[in-house]
Each structure stands twice: as structure tokens, then as C-alpha cells.
């Protein structure tokens, strides 16, 4: 049973590859990966501490699908695409 649990975890796709961390587009939907040790590019920001997605479909990945940060670093809702 342990092997089954281990394989289920390894099937989740990581948000970024090794040596990278995820960043969030400011004021709009989207994200990117930045090499460790580098600052986010213009128009992107680090995710708030404790709210960083680690795998596609995890709690924080789902949370940030409908939210982003504004220029002040405040969490805002994304407008509906309809």
C-alpha cells in the first residue's frame, strides 16, 4: 500500500522544475517559473508566503486560478472570462 501512495504522489506534475520557483502575474491571470536566486521579471511577483502552489491541481494552484495580486501586493479576484 505504501508503494501505491508513493506512486500517486509522483504522478502529480510539479509547478516548476528543479532549481526554479513559481511566480504570479500581477494584475492578470498567469504564472511562470524563475531560476532560483533570480528575482521575478517585471510584471510578476512571488506568491505570498504559505500560499505557493507546488503541484498542478493542488490547493494553492486551484486557489490562484481565480485570484492574483495587484500592484500593492493585495490579493484580488480575477474577473470572469464570460
Amino acid at each position: 500500500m505504501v508503494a501505491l501512495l508513493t506512486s500517486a504522489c509522483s504522478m502529480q506534475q510539479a509547478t516548476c522544475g528543479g532549481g526554479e520557483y513559481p511566480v504570479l502575474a500581477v494584475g492578470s491571470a498567469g504564472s511562470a517559473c524563475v531560476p532560483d536566486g533570480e528575482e521575478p521579471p517585471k510584471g510578476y511577483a512571488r506568491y505570498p508566503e504559505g500560499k505557493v502552489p507546488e503541484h498542478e491541481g493542488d490547493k494553492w494552484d486551484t486557489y490562484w486560478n481565480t485570484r492574483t495580486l495587484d500592484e500593492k501586493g493585495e490579493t484580488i479576484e480575477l474577473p470572469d472570462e464570460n
Side-chain angles (χ1 to χ4, degrees):
M1 182 143 192
V2 172
L4 179 61
L5 293 174
T6 303
S7 65
C9 290
S10 64
M11 292 174 54
Q12 290 181 327
Q13 187 168 346
T15 303
C16 292
E20 297 178 317
Y21 68 95
V23 292
L24 183 63
V26 174
S28 65
S31 62
C33 295
V34 175
D36 289 343
E38 290 187 17
E39 290 299 314
K42 184 175 180 169
Y44 287 85
R46 294 176 186 267
Y47 284 90
E49 189 173 336
K51 296 182 178 182
V52 181
E54 295 181 14
H55 295 95
E56 289 184 14
D58 73 11
K59 172 183 174 180
W60 294 116
D61 183 53
T62 303
Y63 176 86
W64 291 110
N65 281 336
T66 59
R67 297 167 183 84
T68 193
L69 298 175
D70 66 12
E71 302 80 26
K72 297 176 186 176
E74 299 292 324
T75 301
I76 58 171
E77 296 279 330
L78 287 169
D80 289 337
E81 293 182 25
N82 296 335

